[in-house]
Amino acid sequence: MLHWLSKPIAFKPLIDILRTATAVPPRQRPRILHVDDDCNVLGLVNHELRLIGDVISADSVESALRTLASERIDLVVLDIKLGQNSGLDLLPDLHDGSGNCIPVIIFSNQSTDVECNDHIDSALSKMNSSLESLAEAVRDRLARVPAQFARKVA
């Protein structure tokens, strides 16, 4: 129940109640988790992607898992080599609250011939790709996410 109205109905309050009840919630900015163990790369990517969405940096698998447990994440930019660990080990944990796969863009010096699937949208080499091409891949992927920010990403 949204509100109790008595008769005779005053149309102005009814219209205000209906507008409020059917209003589209404000759109949230996309949340991008960037996982890389190189603090310089974390800073550069954060700087490049900050106009596209809110970037959360994680420098380890453990830090990424803590972020995934506490934050809404819409896209992950992932380095394969994270110290002694592999960023690919995070793939089974990359699901949103509804169980849907969180899309991943690989951005790594390691082999980028990773098979694209439900999780991995694309793979870019840090050696052969510019930050601008990473930003373009992020924009393209976020444009396909039907969630709360289905607007054009700047």
Side-chain angles (χ1 to χ4, degrees), residues 24-84:
V24 176
R27 292 195 169 126
Q28 297 177 352
R29 284 173 47 90
R31 308 226 34 201
I32 303 163
L33 174 60
H34 178 214
V35 186
D36 197 307
D37 61 350
D38 184 329
C39 64
N40 292 324
V41 173
L42 287 173
L44 291 168
V45 169
N46 189 321
H47 185 303
E48 186 67 30
L49 299 182
R50 71 177 188 251
L51 296 176
I52 298 171
D54 296 330
V55 180
I56 301 168
S57 299
D59 62 0
S60 66
V61 170
E62 295 78 20
S63 177
L65 288 171
R66 282 192 302 274
T67 299
L68 289 164
S70 63
E71 302 283 343
R72 173 188 57 83
I73 300 298
D74 302 299
L75 176 70
V76 176
V77 175
L78 183 63
D79 188 5
I80 293 175
K81 183 76 170 142
L82 298 171
Q84 299 298 325

Side-chain angles (χ1 to χ4, degrees), residues 82-123:
L82 298 171
Q84 299 298 325
N85 298 314
S86 170
L88 298 176
D89 292 339
L90 284 170
L91 293 179
D93 297 302
L94 297 179
H95 292 87
D96 64 16
S98 302
N100 301 312
C101 292
I102 298 172
V104 174
I105 295 175
I106 300 292
F107 189 58
S108 183
N109 283 329
Q110 300 298 311
S111 174
T112 54
D113 58 351
V114 179
E115 181 180 330
C116 295
N117 54 30
D118 289 343
H119 271 300
I120 300 173
D121 188 71
S122 59

Side-chain angles (χ1 to χ4, degrees), residues 8-24:
I9 294 175
F11 286 100
K12 168 101 172 80
L14 174 61
I15 290 169
D16 291 343
I17 291 166
L18 291 173
R19 268 197 192 117
T20 301
T22 60
V24 176

